[in-house]
Amino acid sequence: MVKKATKKEIQEIREIFVKHYSDAVTELEYKNLFELLISVMLSAQCTDKRVNIITPALFKKYPTPELLALADLDEVKTFINTCSFFNNKAKNLIKMANQVMTEFNKEIPLNEKSLISLAGVGQKTANVVMIEYTGANLMAVDTHVFRVSHRLGLSDEKSAIKTEEQLTKKFKTHLHILHQAMVLFGRYICKSKKPLCESECFMVEYCKSKEAFKPA
């Protein structure tokens, strides 16, 4: 059982993350809300680096919801076939674009409930889009955030959604910064394997465990 962070430690962790990552943004490359949504959808269980390799050609072929809604499924698959679960993702991209056209007057909605109603968009994807595009005070939990939050004793929940609720309750504000902070910290310093504890970690004194936590 991992020891829980104290209220004092939570406040200190919050302040340190905000200080180190105040200007942090997603590493996904996009030019507009439509491209951001697609990139986040593709990034599920796929690296941002891989998504950034895939998307330029995809965006050039389908720059608008109108064109993507009319796209041939097999053709979309050829653009994203090096991405994990590309068959389902291709179907969802086309369906999402059709929903945007028919249900949302050709505009990507910018509220959680409407975003989640789109094919292939869950709570995490919706929150990431709103965090990045609007700076919304929301938390989204991917594998990096899950691992970091458990190693620092910020959460003891088994699922990403429950961990999100716990972090939101404990941190309350600056959630958009804290989300990006924990993603980048987990990706480059507090790695699943061989975390850089001795050389680069500035959270060593708050660490409760080096276990490679993964959401159930």
Side-chain angles (χ1 to χ4, degrees):
M1 191 74 176
V2 176
K3 187 179 178 182
K4 290 184 180 181
T6 64
K7 286 186 178 180
K8 183 175 182 289
E9 287 175 329
I10 292 167
Q11 180 64 24
E12 290 172 353
I13 289 169
R14 180 176 172 273
E15 290 174 0
I16 292 169
F17 272 141
V18 169
K19 178 182 176 182
H20 276 263
Y21 296 99
S22 60
D23 299 321
V25 294
T26 182
E27 293 187 315
L28 292 169
E29 295 170 0
Y30 68 96
K31 294 187 180 70
N32 53 53
L33 179 56
F34 178 59
E35 291 186 1
L36 173 62
L37 176 57
I38 290 173
S39 294
V40 178
M41 289 173 68
L42 291 175
S43 71
Q45 295 179 286
C46 184
T47 66
D48 287 4
K49 185 176 180 181
R50 169 56 52 189
V51 173
N52 289 337
I53 292 170
I54 291 168
T55 50
L58 180 70
F59 293 155
K60 185 175 181 180
K61 180 70 176 180
Y62 310 110
T64 64
E66 292 96 321
L67 290 171
L68 183 57
L70 297 170
D72 175 75
L73 177 60
D74 288 332
E75 191 170 26
V76 173
K77 287 180 183 180
T78 65
F79 283 99
I80 66 170
N81 62 12
T82 59
C83 186
S84 55
F85 306 105
F86 71 91
N87 285 309
N88 279 337
K89 288 179 180 179
K91 292 174 186 175
N92 284 331
L93 288 176
I94 294 173
K95 188 174 179 182
M96 174 274 291
N98 274 282
Q99 286 177 274
V100 170
M101 294 298 296
T102 59
E103 298 173 27
F104 296 101
N105 197 29
K106 305 180 183 180
E107 299 287 338
I108 306 295
L110 266 178
N111 67 76
E112 186 180 52
K113 185 177 179 181
S114 296
L115 277 170
I116 290 174
S117 75
L118 297 173
V121 179
Q123 185 169 318
K124 187 194 82 173
T125 297
N127 284 7
V128 170
V129 168
M130 292 178 67
I131 288 166
E132 175 64 22
Y133 205 76
T134 71
N137 189 48
L138 295 169
M139 176 57 66
V141 175
D142 66 359
T143 55
H144 300 300
V145 177
F146 187 89
R147 181 173 65 256
V148 169
S149 63
H150 283 68
R151 283 179 172 174
L152 295 177
L154 298 169
S155 177
D156 55 3
E157 293 288 355
K158 304 298 184 194
S159 70
I161 293 296
K162 288 292 185 181
T163 299
E164 176 194 313
E165 291 174 3
Q166 212 168 33
L167 292 175
T168 299
K169 185 177 180 180
K170 288 182 178 181
F171 284 135
K172 295 183 177 64
T173 62
H174 295 87
L175 297 180
H176 62 300
I177 296 174
L178 291 162
H179 160 73
Q180 298 290 11
M182 294 171 80
V183 169
L184 296 175
F185 181 71
R187 184 175 291 161
Y188 296 112
I189 298 175
C190 193
K191 301 176 183 180
S192 179
K193 297 177 181 177
K194 298 181 180 178
L196 307 181
C197 305
E198 311 305 326
S199 57
E200 294 186 40
C201 185
F202 48 83
M203 287 289 189
V204 170
E205 66 180 288
Y206 301 101
C207 187
K208 311 297 183 188
S209 170
K210 292 181 184 178
E211 190 178 331
F213 295 93
K214 293 183 180 180

